[in-house]
PDB file of all heavy atoms in Angstrom:
ATOM      1  N   LYS F   1       0.818  -1.214   0.000  1.00 94.00           N
ATOM      2  CA  LYS F   1       0.000   0.000   0.000  1.00 94.00           C
ATOM      3  C   LYS F   1       0.855   1.269   0.000  1.00 94.00           C
ATOM      4  O   LYS F   1       0.339   2.355  -0.277  1.00 94.00           O
ATOM      5  CB  LYS F   1      -0.943  -0.007   1.200  1.00 94.00           C
ATOM      6  CG  LYS F   1      -2.092  -0.995   1.042  1.00 94.00           C
ATOM      7  CD  LYS F   1      -3.252  -0.671   1.960  1.00 94.00           C
ATOM      8  CE  LYS F   1      -4.470  -1.532   1.622  1.00 94.00           C
ATOM      9  NZ  LYS F   1      -5.627  -1.247   2.498  1.00 94.00           N
ATOM     10  N   SER F   2       2.114   1.140   0.327  1.00 93.00           N
ATOM     11  CA  SER F   2       2.989   2.317   0.311  1.00 93.00           C
ATOM     12  C   SER F   2       4.428   1.889   0.080  1.00 93.00           C
ATOM     13  O   SER F   2       4.802   0.734   0.338  1.00 93.00           O
ATOM     14  CB  SER F   2       2.879   3.123   1.606  1.00 93.00           C
ATOM     15  OG  SER F   2       3.365   2.369   2.695  1.00 93.00           O
ATOM     16  N   ILE F   3       5.209   2.826  -0.429  1.00 94.00           N
ATOM     17  CA  ILE F   3       6.630   2.608  -0.664  1.00 94.00           C
ATOM     18  C   ILE F   3       7.397   3.698   0.078  1.00 94.00           C
ATOM     19  O   ILE F   3       7.116   4.884  -0.081  1.00 94.00           O
ATOM     20  CB  ILE F   3       6.976   2.663  -2.163  1.00 94.00           C
ATOM     21  CG1 ILE F   3       6.181   1.602  -2.929  1.00 94.00           C
ATOM     22  CG2 ILE F   3       8.479   2.469  -2.385  1.00 94.00           C
ATOM     23  CD1 ILE F   3       6.347   1.692  -4.429  1.00 94.00           C
ATOM     24  N   GLU F   4       8.337   3.287   0.904  1.00 95.00           N
ATOM     25  CA  GLU F   4       9.094   4.236   1.720  1.00 95.00           C
ATOM     26  C   GLU F   4      10.589   4.109   1.398  1.00 95.00           C
ATOM     27  O   GLU F   4      11.128   3.004   1.351  1.00 95.00           O
ATOM     28  CB  GLU F   4       8.859   3.957   3.204  1.00 95.00           C
ATOM     29  CG  GLU F   4       9.600   4.886   4.138  1.00 95.00           C
ATOM     30  CD  GLU F   4       9.319   4.600   5.598  1.00 95.00           C
ATOM     31  OE1 GLU F   4       8.375   3.832   5.878  1.00 95.00           O
ATOM     32  OE2 GLU F   4      10.051   5.127   6.449  1.00 95.00           O
ATOM     33  N   PHE F   5      11.221   5.256   1.170  1.00 96.00           N
ATOM     34  CA  PHE F   5      12.661   5.284   0.936  1.00 96.00           C
ATOM     35  C   PHE F   5      13.360   5.836   2.166  1.00 96.00           C
ATOM     36  O   PHE F   5      12.919   6.808   2.764  1.00 96.00           O
ATOM     37  CB  PHE F   5      12.992   6.160  -0.274  1.00 96.00           C
ATOM     38  CG  PHE F   5      12.689   5.525  -1.599  1.00 96.00           C
ATOM     39  CD1 PHE F   5      11.438   5.636  -2.167  1.00 96.00           C
ATOM     40  CD2 PHE F   5      13.654   4.808  -2.271  1.00 96.00           C
ATOM     41  CE1 PHE F   5      11.148   5.050  -3.389  1.00 96.00           C
ATOM     42  CE2 PHE F   5      13.391   4.224  -3.498  1.00 96.00           C
ATOM     43  CZ  PHE F   5      12.123   4.342  -4.053  1.00 96.00           C
ATOM     44  N   LYS F   6      14.474   5.234   2.526  1.00 96.00           N
ATOM     45  CA  LYS F   6      15.294   5.725   3.630  1.00 96.00           C
ATOM     46  C   LYS F   6      16.725   5.897   3.138  1.00 96.00           C
ATOM     47  O   LYS F   6      17.231   5.083   2.381  1.00 96.00           O
ATOM     48  CB  LYS F   6      15.251   4.762   4.816  1.00 96.00           C
ATOM     49  CG  LYS F   6      13.883   4.680   5.482  1.00 96.00           C
ATOM     50  CD  LYS F   6      13.922   3.822   6.738  1.00 96.00           C
ATOM     51  CE  LYS F   6      12.567   3.822   7.442  1.00 96.00           C
ATOM     52  NZ  LYS F   6      12.592   3.011   8.688  1.00 96.00           N
ATOM     53  N   GLY F   7      17.361   6.972   3.583  1.00 95.00           N
ATOM     54  CA  GLY F   7      18.763   7.211   3.248  1.00 95.00           C
ATOM     55  C   GLY F   7      18.995   8.122   2.067  1.00 95.00           C
ATOM     56  O   GLY F   7      20.141   8.456   1.761  1.00 95.00           O
ATOM     57  N   LEU F   8      17.923   8.548   1.387  1.00 94.00           N
ATOM     58  CA  LEU F   8      18.111   9.413   0.218  1.00 94.00           C
ATOM     59  C   LEU F   8      18.505  10.821   0.652  1.00 94.00           C
ATOM     60  O   LEU F   8      17.841  11.438   1.474  1.00 94.00           O
ATOM     61  CB  LEU F   8      16.831   9.472  -0.620  1.00 94.00           C
ATOM     62  CG  LEU F   8      16.404   8.183  -1.327  1.00 94.00           C
ATOM     63  CD1 LEU F   8      15.169   8.432  -2.164  1.00 94.00           C
ATOM     64  CD2 LEU F   8      17.534   7.640  -2.198  1.00 94.00           C
ATOM     65  N   LYS F   9      19.591  11.315   0.069  1.00 93.00           N
ATOM     66  CA  LYS F   9      20.030  12.686   0.315  1.00 93.00           C
ATOM     67  C   LYS F   9      20.151  13.468  -0.989  1.00 93.00           C
ATOM     68  O   LYS F   9      19.837  14.649  -1.047  1.00 93.00           O
ATOM     69  CB  LYS F   9      21.369  12.681   1.052  1.00 93.00           C
ATOM     70  CG  LYS F   9      21.312  12.039   2.432  1.00 93.00           C
ATOM     71  CD  LYS F   9      22.688  11.971   3.067  1.00 93.00           C
ATOM     72  CE  LYS F   9      22.625  11.286   4.421  1.00 93.00           C
ATOM     73  NZ  LYS F   9      23.973  11.138   5.033  1.00 93.00           N
ATOM     74  N   LEU F  10      20.624  12.804  -2.021  1.00 91.00           N
ATOM     75  CA  LEU F  10      20.835  13.452  -3.307  1.00 91.00           C
ATOM     76  C   LEU F  10      19.810  13.020  -4.345  1.00 91.00           C
ATOM     77  O   LEU F  10      19.335  13.831  -5.131  1.00 91.00           O
ATOM     78  CB  LEU F  10      22.250  13.136  -3.824  1.00 91.00           C
ATOM     79  CG  LEU F  10      23.396  13.573  -2.912  1.00 91.00           C
ATOM     80  CD1 LEU F  10      24.724  13.065  -3.456  1.00 91.00           C
ATOM     81  CD2 LEU F  10      23.438  15.086  -2.777  1.00 91.00           C
ATOM     82  N   LEU F  11      19.484  11.756  -4.337  1.00 90.00           N
ATOM     83  CA  LEU F  11      18.517  11.226  -5.297  1.00 90.00           C
ATOM     84  C   LEU F  11      17.097  11.586  -4.902  1.00 90.00           C
ATOM     85  O   LEU F  11      16.775  11.700  -3.723  1.00 90.00           O
ATOM     86  CB  LEU F  11      18.627   9.704  -5.378  1.00 90.00           C
ATOM     87  CG  LEU F  11      19.721   9.105  -6.250  1.00 90.00           C
ATOM     88  CD1 LEU F  11      19.784   7.599  -6.036  1.00 90.00           C
ATOM     89  CD2 LEU F  11      19.489   9.424  -7.711  1.00 90.00           C
ATOM     90  N   SER F  12      16.252  11.731  -5.902  1.00 89.00           N
ATOM     91  CA  SER F  12      14.821  11.839  -5.674  1.00 89.00           C
ATOM     92  C   SER F  12      14.206  10.445  -5.755  1.00 89.00           C
ATOM     93  O   SER F  12      14.608   9.631  -6.588  1.00 89.00           O
ATOM     94  CB  SER F  12      14.177  12.750  -6.727  1.00 89.00           C
ATOM     95  OG  SER F  12      12.791  12.524  -6.808  1.00 89.00           O
ATOM     96  N   LYS F  13      13.251  10.150  -4.885  1.00 91.00           N
ATOM     97  CA  LYS F  13      12.585   8.837  -4.934  1.00 91.00           C
ATOM     98  C   LYS F  13      11.905   8.611  -6.278  1.00 91.00           C
ATOM     99  O   LYS F  13      11.812   7.479  -6.756  1.00 91.00           O
ATOM    100  CB  LYS F  13      11.568   8.730  -3.808  1.00 91.00           C
ATOM    101  CG  LYS F  13      10.571   9.880  -3.750  1.00 91.00           C
ATOM    102  CD  LYS F  13       9.922   9.965  -2.385  1.00 91.00           C
ATOM    103  CE  LYS F  13       9.091  11.225  -2.227  1.00 91.00           C
ATOM    104  NZ  LYS F  13       8.617  11.431  -0.858  1.00 91.00           N
ATOM    105  N   TYR F  14      11.502   9.707  -6.922  1.00 90.00           N
ATOM    106  CA  TYR F  14      10.816   9.572  -8.205  1.00 90.00           C
ATOM    107  C   TYR F  14      11.777   9.168  -9.320  1.00 90.00           C
ATOM    108  O   TYR F  14      11.371   8.542 -10.289  1.00 90.00           O
ATOM    109  CB  TYR F  14      10.083  10.866  -8.554  1.00 90.00           C
ATOM    110  CG  TYR F  14       9.046  11.245  -7.516  1.00 90.00           C
ATOM    111  CD1 TYR F  14       9.251  12.314  -6.653  1.00 90.00           C
ATOM    112  CD2 TYR F  14       7.881  10.496  -7.369  1.00 90.00           C
ATOM    113  CE1 TYR F  14       8.321  12.644  -5.680  1.00 90.00           C
ATOM    114  CE2 TYR F  14       6.945  10.821  -6.392  1.00 90.00           C
ATOM    115  CZ  TYR F  14       7.170  11.897  -5.550  1.00 90.00           C
ATOM    116  OH  TYR F  14       6.256  12.209  -4.588  1.00 90.00           O
ATOM    117  N   GLU F  15      13.060   9.552  -9.181  1.00 86.00           N
ATOM    118  CA  GLU F  15      14.057   9.132 -10.165  1.00 86.00           C
ATOM    119  C   GLU F  15      14.139   7.614 -10.229  1.00 86.00           C
ATOM    120  O   GLU F  15      14.366   7.028 -11.286  1.00 86.00           O
ATOM    121  CB  GLU F  15      15.437   9.694  -9.798  1.00 86.00           C
ATOM    122  CG  GLU F  15      15.587  11.192  -9.964  1.00 86.00           C
ATOM    123  CD  GLU F  15      16.985  11.656  -9.605  1.00 86.00           C
ATOM    124  OE1 GLU F  15      17.949  11.187 -10.240  1.00 86.00           O
ATOM    125  OE2 GLU F  15      17.128  12.480  -8.680  1.00 86.00           O
ATOM    126  N   ILE F  16      13.960   6.973  -9.081  1.00 91.00           N
ATOM    127  CA  ILE F  16      14.054   5.513  -9.003  1.00 91.00           C
ATOM    128  C   ILE F  16      12.729   4.871  -9.378  1.00 91.00           C
ATOM    129  O   ILE F  16      12.664   3.978 -10.230  1.00 91.00           O
ATOM    130  CB  ILE F  16      14.471   5.088  -7.590  1.00 91.00           C
ATOM    131  CG1 ILE F  16      15.809   5.742  -7.217  1.00 91.00           C
ATOM    132  CG2 ILE F  16      14.557   3.563  -7.479  1.00 91.00           C
ATOM    133  CD1 ILE F  16      16.171   5.619  -5.767  1.00 91.00           C
ATOM    134  N   ILE F  17      11.647   5.329  -8.756  1.00 90.00           N
ATOM    135  CA  ILE F  17      10.327   4.718  -8.955  1.00 90.00           C
ATOM    136  C   ILE F  17       9.887   4.772 -10.404  1.00 90.00           C
ATOM    137  O   ILE F  17       9.272   3.827 -10.920  1.00 90.00           O
ATOM    138  CB  ILE F  17       9.285   5.417  -8.044  1.00 90.00           C
ATOM    139  CG1 ILE F  17       9.431   4.913  -6.609  1.00 90.00           C
ATOM    140  CG2 ILE F  17       7.875   5.182  -8.536  1.00 90.00           C
ATOM    141  CD1 ILE F  17       9.124   3.440  -6.438  1.00 90.00           C
ATOM    142  N   ASP F  18      10.216   5.871 -11.077  1.00 89.00           N
ATOM    143  CA  ASP F  18       9.783   6.016 -12.474  1.00 89.00           C
ATOM    144  C   ASP F  18      10.356   4.945 -13.386  1.00 89.00           C
ATOM    145  O   ASP F  18       9.833   4.703 -14.478  1.00 89.00           O
ATOM    146  CB  ASP F  18      10.167   7.405 -13.012  1.00 89.00           C
ATOM    147  CG  ASP F  18       9.280   8.503 -12.461  1.00 89.00           C
ATOM    148  OD1 ASP F  18       8.248   8.169 -11.845  1.00 89.00           O
ATOM    149  OD2 ASP F  18       9.614   9.684 -12.637  1.00 89.00           O
ATOM    150  N   GLU F  19      11.451   4.311 -12.965  1.00 89.00           N
ATOM    151  CA  GLU F  19      12.090   3.293 -13.785  1.00 89.00           C
ATOM    152  C   GLU F  19      11.580   1.884 -13.491  1.00 89.00           C
ATOM    153  O   GLU F  19      11.854   0.953 -14.246  1.00 89.00           O
ATOM    154  CB  GLU F  19      13.611   3.330 -13.558  1.00 89.00           C
ATOM    155  CG  GLU F  19      14.270   4.659 -13.866  1.00 89.00           C
ATOM    156  CD  GLU F  19      14.253   4.993 -15.338  1.00 89.00           C
ATOM    157  OE1 GLU F  19      14.297   4.052 -16.154  1.00 89.00           O
ATOM    158  OE2 GLU F  19      14.171   6.185 -15.689  1.00 89.00           O
ATOM    159  N   VAL F  20      10.862   1.717 -12.383  1.00 93.00           N
ATOM    160  CA  VAL F  20      10.470   0.381 -11.927  1.00 93.00           C
ATOM    161  C   VAL F  20       9.148  -0.046 -12.567  1.00 93.00           C
ATOM    162  O   VAL F  20       8.221   0.755 -12.705  1.00 93.00           O
ATOM    163  CB  VAL F  20      10.346   0.349 -10.388  1.00 93.00           C
ATOM    164  CG1 VAL F  20       9.891  -1.034  -9.910  1.00 93.00           C
ATOM    165  CG2 VAL F  20      11.670   0.716  -9.734  1.00 93.00           C
ATOM    166  N   ASN F  21       9.068  -1.300 -12.931  1.00 93.00           N
ATOM    167  CA  ASN F  21       7.845  -1.866 -13.501  1.00 93.00           C
ATOM    168  C   ASN F  21       6.834  -2.091 -12.376  1.00 93.00           C
ATOM    169  O   ASN F  21       7.062  -2.902 -11.474  1.00 93.00           O
ATOM    170  CB  ASN F  21       8.175  -3.182 -14.211  1.00 93.00           C
ATOM    171  CG  ASN F  21       6.995  -3.712 -15.006  1.00 93.00           C
ATOM    172  OD1 ASN F  21       6.078  -2.966 -15.331  1.00 93.00           O
ATOM    173  ND2 ASN F  21       7.029  -4.993 -15.306  1.00 93.00           N
ATOM    174  N   MET F  22       5.721  -1.360 -12.396  1.00 90.00           N
ATOM    175  CA  MET F  22       4.690  -1.497 -11.363  1.00 90.00           C
ATOM    176  C   MET F  22       3.350  -1.035 -11.918  1.00 90.00           C
ATOM    177  O   MET F  22       3.268  -0.423 -12.985  1.00 90.00           O
ATOM    178  CB  MET F  22       5.064  -0.693 -10.120  1.00 90.00           C
ATOM    179  CG  MET F  22       5.163   0.804 -10.348  1.00 90.00           C
ATOM    180  SD  MET F  22       5.475   1.708  -8.815  1.00 90.00           S
ATOM    181  CE  MET F  22       7.086   1.085  -8.387  1.00 90.00           C
ATOM    182  N   LYS F  23       2.309  -1.342 -11.188  1.00 90.00           N
ATOM    183  CA  LYS F  23       0.975  -0.900 -11.581  1.00 90.00           C
ATOM    184  C   LYS F  23       0.107  -0.737 -10.340  1.00 90.00           C
ATOM    185  O   LYS F  23       0.412  -1.265  -9.261  1.00 90.00           O
ATOM    186  CB  LYS F  23       0.340  -1.894 -12.545  1.00 90.00           C
ATOM    187  CG  LYS F  23       0.013  -3.249 -11.933  1.00 90.00           C
ATOM    188  CD  LYS F  23      -0.621  -4.180 -12.959  1.00 90.00           C
ATOM    189  CE  LYS F  23      -0.978  -5.538 -12.340  1.00 90.00           C
ATOM    190  NZ  LYS F  23      -1.589  -6.448 -13.332  1.00 90.00           N
ATOM    191  N   VAL F  24      -0.978   0.006 -10.489  1.00 89.00           N
ATOM    192  CA  VAL F  24      -1.941   0.197  -9.410  1.00 89.00           C
ATOM    193  C   VAL F  24      -3.093  -0.775  -9.603  1.00 89.00           C
ATOM    194  O   VAL F  24      -3.642  -0.896 -10.699  1.00 89.00           O
ATOM    195  CB  VAL F  24      -2.463   1.652  -9.387  1.00 89.00           C
ATOM    196  CG1 VAL F  24      -3.575   1.803  -8.377  1.00 89.00           C
ATOM    197  CG2 VAL F  24      -1.329   2.623  -9.106  1.00 89.00           C
ATOM    198  N   ASP F  25      -3.427  -1.487  -8.548  1.00 88.00           N
ATOM    199  CA  ASP F  25      -4.538  -2.444  -8.560  1.00 88.00           C
ATOM    200  C   ASP F  25      -5.408  -2.170  -7.355  1.00 88.00           C
ATOM    201  O   ASP F  25      -5.063  -2.532  -6.224  1.00 88.00           O
ATOM    202  CB  ASP F  25      -3.993  -3.874  -8.525  1.00 88.00           C
ATOM    203  CG  ASP F  25      -5.107  -4.913  -8.631  1.00 88.00           C
ATOM    204  OD1 ASP F  25      -6.259  -4.529  -8.931  1.00 88.00           O
ATOM    205  OD2 ASP F  25      -4.813  -6.106  -8.416  1.00 88.00           O
ATOM    206  N   GLU F  26      -6.542  -1.484  -7.597  1.00 85.00           N
ATOM    207  CA  GLU F  26      -7.436  -1.035  -6.523  1.00 85.00           C
ATOM    208  C   GLU F  26      -6.643  -0.178  -5.535  1.00 85.00           C
ATOM    209  O   GLU F  26      -6.081   0.839  -5.912  1.00 85.00           O
ATOM    210  CB  GLU F  26      -8.097  -2.240  -5.854  1.00 85.00           C
ATOM    211  CG  GLU F  26      -9.003  -3.022  -6.811  1.00 85.00           C
ATOM    212  CD  GLU F  26      -9.653  -4.213  -6.162  1.00 85.00           C
ATOM    213  OE1 GLU F  26      -9.246  -4.597  -5.053  1.00 85.00           O
ATOM    214  OE2 GLU F  26     -10.574  -4.788  -6.792  1.00 85.00           O
ATOM    215  N   ASP F  27      -6.553  -0.584  -4.264  1.00 89.00           N
ATOM    216  CA  ASP F  27      -5.849   0.226  -3.276  1.00 89.00           C
ATOM    217  C   ASP F  27      -4.394  -0.198  -3.095  1.00 89.00           C
ATOM    218  O   ASP F  27      -3.724   0.247  -2.155  1.00 89.00           O
ATOM    219  CB  ASP F  27      -6.555   0.135  -1.914  1.00 89.00           C
ATOM    220  CG  ASP F  27      -7.922   0.807  -1.945  1.00 89.00           C
ATOM    221  OD1 ASP F  27      -8.100   1.724  -2.767  1.00 89.00           O
ATOM    222  OD2 ASP F  27      -8.792   0.413  -1.155  1.00 89.00           O
ATOM    223  N   TYR F  28      -3.923  -1.048  -3.968  1.00 92.00           N
ATOM    224  CA  TYR F  28      -2.576  -1.575  -3.822  1.00 92.00           C
ATOM    225  C   TYR F  28      -1.671  -1.137  -4.976  1.00 92.00           C
ATOM    226  O   TYR F  28      -2.138  -0.830  -6.077  1.00 92.00           O
ATOM    227  CB  TYR F  28      -2.603  -3.105  -3.758  1.00 92.00           C
ATOM    228  CG  TYR F  28      -3.130  -3.649  -2.448  1.00 92.00           C
ATOM    229  CD1 TYR F  28      -4.501  -3.860  -2.261  1.00 92.00           C
ATOM    230  CD2 TYR F  28      -2.259  -3.950  -1.397  1.00 92.00           C
ATOM    231  CE1 TYR F  28      -4.992  -4.355  -1.061  1.00 92.00           C
ATOM    232  CE2 TYR F  28      -2.742  -4.453  -0.200  1.00 92.00           C
ATOM    233  CZ  TYR F  28      -4.101  -4.649  -0.028  1.00 92.00           C
ATOM    234  OH  TYR F  28      -4.590  -5.134   1.164  1.00 92.00           O
ATOM    235  N   ILE F  29      -0.388  -1.153  -4.689  1.00 93.00           N
ATOM    236  CA  ILE F  29       0.629  -0.982  -5.718  1.00 93.00           C
ATOM    237  C   ILE F  29       1.262  -2.354  -5.922  1.00 93.00           C
ATOM    238  O   ILE F  29       1.733  -2.982  -4.962  1.00 93.00           O
ATOM    239  CB  ILE F  29       1.727   0.007  -5.284  1.00 93.00           C
ATOM    240  CG1 ILE F  29       1.100   1.318  -4.814  1.00 93.00           C
ATOM    241  CG2 ILE F  29       2.705   0.263  -6.421  1.00 93.00           C
ATOM    242  CD1 ILE F  29       2.056   2.193  -4.028  1.00 93.00           C
ATOM    243  N   VAL F  30       1.259  -2.810  -7.151  1.00 94.00           N
ATOM    244  CA  VAL F  30       1.860  -4.106  -7.473  1.00 94.00           C
ATOM    245  C   VAL F  30       3.238  -3.832  -8.054  1.00 94.00           C
ATOM    246  O   VAL F  30       3.371  -3.230  -9.119  1.00 94.00           O
ATOM    247  CB  VAL F  30       0.989  -4.900  -8.465  1.00 94.00           C
ATOM    248  CG1 VAL F  30       1.610  -6.281  -8.713  1.00 94.00           C
ATOM    249  CG2 VAL F  30      -0.441  -5.039  -7.947  1.00 94.00           C
ATOM    250  N   VAL F  31       4.262  -4.264  -7.328  1.00 94.00           N
ATOM    251  CA  VAL F  31       5.644  -3.960  -7.691  1.00 94.00           C
ATOM    252  C   VAL F  31       6.329  -5.204  -8.242  1.00 94.00           C
ATOM    253  O   VAL F  31       6.244  -6.287  -7.645  1.00 94.00           O
ATOM    254  CB  VAL F  31       6.438  -3.439  -6.469  1.00 94.00           C
ATOM    255  CG1 VAL F  31       7.867  -3.064  -6.876  1.00 94.00           C
ATOM    256  CG2 VAL F  31       5.724  -2.253  -5.836  1.00 94.00           C
ATOM    257  N   ASP F  32       6.982  -5.053  -9.360  1.00 94.00           N
ATOM    258  CA  ASP F  32       7.787  -6.122  -9.934  1.00 94.00           C
ATOM    259  C   ASP F  32       9.140  -6.106  -9.210  1.00 94.00           C
ATOM    260  O   ASP F  32       9.979  -5.236  -9.444  1.00 94.00           O
ATOM    261  CB  ASP F  32       7.971  -5.868 -11.431  1.00 94.00           C
ATOM    262  CG  ASP F  32       8.742  -6.984 -12.135  1.00 94.00           C
ATOM    263  OD1 ASP F  32       9.486  -7.707 -11.451  1.00 94.00           O
ATOM    264  OD2 ASP F  32       8.591  -7.108 -13.365  1.00 94.00           O
ATOM    265  N   LEU F  33       9.362  -7.056  -8.320  1.00 94.00           N
ATOM    266  CA  LEU F  33      10.566  -7.065  -7.498  1.00 94.00           C
ATOM    267  C   LEU F  33      11.834  -7.290  -8.322  1.00 94.00           C
ATOM    268  O   LEU F  33      12.892  -6.757  -8.002  1.00 94.00           O
ATOM    269  CB  LEU F  33      10.448  -8.131  -6.407  1.00 94.00           C
ATOM    270  CG  LEU F  33       9.350  -7.886  -5.368  1.00 94.00           C
ATOM    271  CD1 LEU F  33       9.378  -8.979  -4.318  1.00 94.00           C
ATOM    272  CD2 LEU F  33       9.506  -6.521  -4.724  1.00 94.00           C
ATOM    273  N   GLU F  34      11.718  -8.090  -9.370  1.00 93.00           N
ATOM    274  CA  GLU F  34      12.889  -8.299 -10.232  1.00 93.00           C
ATOM    275  C   GLU F  34      13.299  -6.988 -10.889  1.00 93.00           C
ATOM    276  O   GLU F  34      14.485  -6.654 -10.964  1.00 93.00           O
ATOM    277  CB  GLU F  34      12.586  -9.357 -11.290  1.00 93.00           C
ATOM    278  CG  GLU F  34      13.774  -9.665 -12.186  1.00 93.00           C
ATOM    279  CD  GLU F  34      13.471 -10.751 -13.208  1.00 93.00           C
ATOM    280  OE1 GLU F  34      12.398 -11.377 -13.124  1.00 93.00           O
ATOM    281  OE2 GLU F  34      14.313 -10.949 -14.100  1.00 93.00           O
TER     282      GLU F  34
END
């Protein structure tokens, strides 16, 4: 239901998330772990 980043100082979380294969399914985020 949520994604939390820890330790980021220079990178934006969106720089990383935008590259990851995922989709929204109802109230959940389905993340491709590979």
Side-chain angles (χ1 to χ4, degrees):
K1 287 200 171 180
S2 66
I3 301 174
E4 180 179 348
F5 284 87
K6 293 186 176 181
L8 293 183
K9 297 176 182 177
L10 301 174
L11 279 172
S12 160
K13 53 199 171 189
Y14 300 108
E15 290 181 59
I16 302 168
I17 282 296
D18 286 349
E19 302 292 329
V20 178
N21 189 20
M22 63 175 64
K23 67 180 181 180
V24 173
D25 184 11
E26 296 180 347
D27 292 333
Y28 287 88
I29 308 164
V30 183
V31 183
D32 183 337
L33 295 182
E34 182 178 352

